[in-house]
Amino acid sequence: MKTDVAIIGAGPAGLLLGHLLRAEGVACVVVERQTGDYVLSRIRAGVLERTTVSLMERLGLDARLKSEGLPHGGFNLADGERLIRIDVEALTGQTVTVYGQTELTRDLMDACDERGLEVIYDAGEVALHDIAGDAPYVTFVRDGGEQRIDARIIVGCDGFHGPSRQAVPASVGQVFERVYPFGWLGILADVPPCNHELIYANHERGFSLASMRSATRSRYYIDVPLTEKIEDWSDDRIWDELAVRLGPEAAAQITRGPAIEKSIAPLRSFVFEPMRYGSLLLCGDSAHIVPPTGAKGLNLAASDVHYAAEALVAFFRHGDADAVAGYSARALARVWKSERFSWSLTKLMHRFPDDGPFERRMQVAELDYIANSEAAQRSIAENYVGLPV
Ligand code: FAS
Ligand code: PHB
């Protein structure tokens, strides 16, 4: 098989890029290790930045997002009894949209046939070849035999554990990483949210987040030590812990119910440079990871895809090689700003095991400053809605 762009991974980054390239007449094929159902079964992000929404609008794939997505004009930071509302709409003129990554991925998936985007699922042993040159190719095993895709460009959208980043020579790649000493235990339940906006809470027992997917489906998180096992956390134990950490006012509004899904995810800040090597570009989690505190993971994947699509259309439609050459620096400029915001909000809202009284005083002072400074709130707000692309 021969194409212009071989995309590895059919998560949000891979499908979004595939649709954007197809819409501009750039030939591409997406190769995915799992089945489509498995991809949809992963419960992940919940908050979309304006940039992500506008890409779906540009593709004309925003119908459900518009009818089911929840525009949010603010969110809350809780520190004990105090609730600090960050009025993102008043401070930035923008809102964020609460709409699950699963639904966004489903919208992209459902449009593949009508848009002529070819996605090969169940592709085993995906490997990249000759990425340093101008004639790279991808091999994979499917239906018992090895298959090959010759392309001019390969884009790795294969997430943190995929093969694309690993294909960059160790002498070229540089890793920047911070692994956090806790994970997030998440629970999804068909119960109404306890608050109409998100609440990020810093409590002496630990962090918690009250989020949602709709007016009838809630998503909550608490931070737990990395030694914790999800099987040790009954639904009741999770609800009890949330009620304490979110504080009495929010707790009084919590509706309990059986978990549809519950899992523990590790947290890390991670950036791999460069995001382009030879004929390989990296997008999304294949190149970077943020702690979910800033709701940036999925949205960074979308801005990478925005830059990659622009560069690839310029390359294939107008013979402009400079755009591809400039992709990494352009994407990394936004990646690092989101890494900083996610890291700083994680530091502010979590109790780190090695923190002492001084570090706690720093958190209290910073929250007090935010509560009383419009400038501080505006800074948080503009990062939360998403910096310009
Ligand atoms: P993805 O990981 O979504 O997709 C990569 C795709 O590549 C997958 O479908 C995978 O099957 C495929 N793949 C992997 N190896 C392959 C191979 N060898 N061959 C072919 N295909 C291969 N972000 C937020 O903003 N908020 C959150 O609350 C949040 N929670 C998260 C919870 C968890 C457990 C995880 C892991 C991430 C979470 N994230 C969150 C971040 C997440 O949303 C990512 O940023 C987002 O999925 C990035 O999308 P992709 O880059 O497409 O990567
Ligand atoms: C979610 O709803 O899953 C969610 C929302 C905001 C975050 C992280 C996760 O910062």
Side-chain angles (χ1 to χ4, degrees):
M1 184 188 301
K2 201 164 175 47
T3 188
D4 288 338
V5 181
I7 299 169
I8 302 177
L15 292 178
L16 203 47
L17 179 61
H19 278 299
L20 288 168
L21 294 180
R22 285 289 298 143
E24 294 291 337
V26 177
C28 58
V29 176
V30 185
V31 183
E32 166 60 48
R33 176 175 62 177
Q34 307 288 0
T35 65
D37 288 343
Y38 182 89
V39 173
L40 289 175
S41 70
R42 295 183 302 225
I43 304 301
R44 292 202 175 156
V47 173
L48 305 184
E49 292 177 356
R50 176 79 214 126
T51 296
T52 309
V53 173
S54 58
L55 288 174
M56 295 297 280
E57 288 169 346
R58 195 165 110 199
L59 288 168
L61 295 177
D62 60 321
R64 219 156 60 93
L65 174 49
K66 283 286 184 299
S67 62
E68 296 175 22
L70 303 173
H72 276 210
F75 70 97
N76 303 277
L77 300 176
D79 182 37
E81 301 296 306
R82 173 163 58 180
L83 205 60
I84 306 164
R85 182 169 186 268
I86 308 295
D87 188 341
V88 297
E89 189 161 21
L91 290 161
T92 69
Q94 292 184 57
T95 59
V96 293
T97 304
V98 169
Y99 189 69
Q101 172 172 325
T102 302
E103 302 319 313
L104 181 125
T105 306
R106 191 193 312 278
D107 294 337
L108 292 165
M109 254 186 210
D110 290 350
C112 285
D113 289 348
E114 62 164 299
R115 301 284 177 99
L117 175 58
E118 182 176 4
V119 182
I120 301 170
Y121 289 100
D122 268 332
E125 298 169 44
V126 173
L128 296 80
H129 307 273
D130 295 352
I131 60 174
D134 289 350
Y137 62 97
V138 174
T139 55
F140 59 92
V141 173
R142 194 166 190 280
D143 302 331
E146 179 167 284
Q147 300 187 35
R148 169 172 167 151
I149 301 174
D150 289 278
R152 175 62 192 81
I153 296 281
I154 298 174
V155 184
C157 297
D158 44 339
F160 187 65
H161 300 291
S164 296
R165 186 178 70 248
Q166 316 296 342
V168 178
S171 58
V172 172
Q174 189 175 0
V175 167
F176 303 84
E177 185 169 31
R178 160 70 52 89
V179 178
Y180 295 90
F182 38 71
W184 274 20
L185 185 159
I187 183 171
L188 187 71
D190 277 332
V191 294
C194 69
N195 192 54
H196 68 291
E197 291 179 332
L198 273 64
I199 302 174
Y200 296 79
N202 179 335
H203 185 277
E204 63 187 19
R205 287 177 64 91
F207 169 83
S208 59
L209 168 58
S211 182
M212 64 200 75
R213 291 293 177 269
S214 70
T216 58
R217 177 167 285 193
S218 296
R219 177 71 167 165
Y220 289 94
Y221 296 91
I222 54 173
D223 79 316
V224 293
L226 290 170
T227 49
E228 288 296 305
K229 300 271 179 290
I230 194 64
E231 48 270 21
D232 296 334
W233 282 84
S234 69
D235 293 4
D236 280 344
R237 185 182 176 197
I238 299 171
W239 291 121
D240 290 344
E241 193 62 31
L242 280 164
V244 172
R245 294 191 189 190
L246 284 167
E249 207 174 307
Q253 302 304 317
I254 290 178
T255 305
R256 298 183 175 213
I260 305 171
E261 187 268 354
K262 57 185 177 184
S263 55
I264 298 175
L267 266 61
R268 75 179 74 237
S269 296
F270 177 95
V271 178
F272 179 83
E273 292 186 1
M275 289 177 62
R276 181 187 76 87
Y277 170 74
S279 298
L280 171 66
L281 275 62
L282 300 175
C283 286
D285 278 19
S286 69
H288 44 71
I289 297 286
V290 283
T293 325
K296 292 295 155 218
L298 171 58
N299 296 297
L300 262 186
S303 53
D304 290 350
V305 163
H306 165 76
Y307 297 134
E310 268 194 357
L312 293 170
V313 169
F315 179 72
F316 286 103
R317 297 277 302 278
H318 312 299
D320 170 6
D322 291 346
V324 169
Y327 164 73
S328 179
R330 194 177 180 207
L332 282 168
R334 193 172 194 270
V335 164
W336 276 112
K337 294 188 188 82
S338 290
E339 290 282 348
R340 182 209 65 79
F341 175 67
S342 305
W343 164 77
S344 65
L345 206 55
T346 302
K347 234 162 40 75
L348 177 62
M349 299 310 289
H350 292 73
R351 306 286 174 102
F352 285 65
D354 295 342
D355 278 1
F358 175 80
E359 286 74 18
R360 178 57 193 146
R361 279 288 186 279
M362 287 297 98
Q363 288 183 336
V364 171
E366 186 167 349
L367 285 162
D368 200 31
Y369 168 56
I370 292 165
N372 296 290
S373 163
E374 184 176 305
Q377 292 181 24
R378 189 183 309 281
S379 171
I380 290 175
E382 70 175 5
N383 279 280
Y384 197 79
V385 298
L387 297 176
V389 290

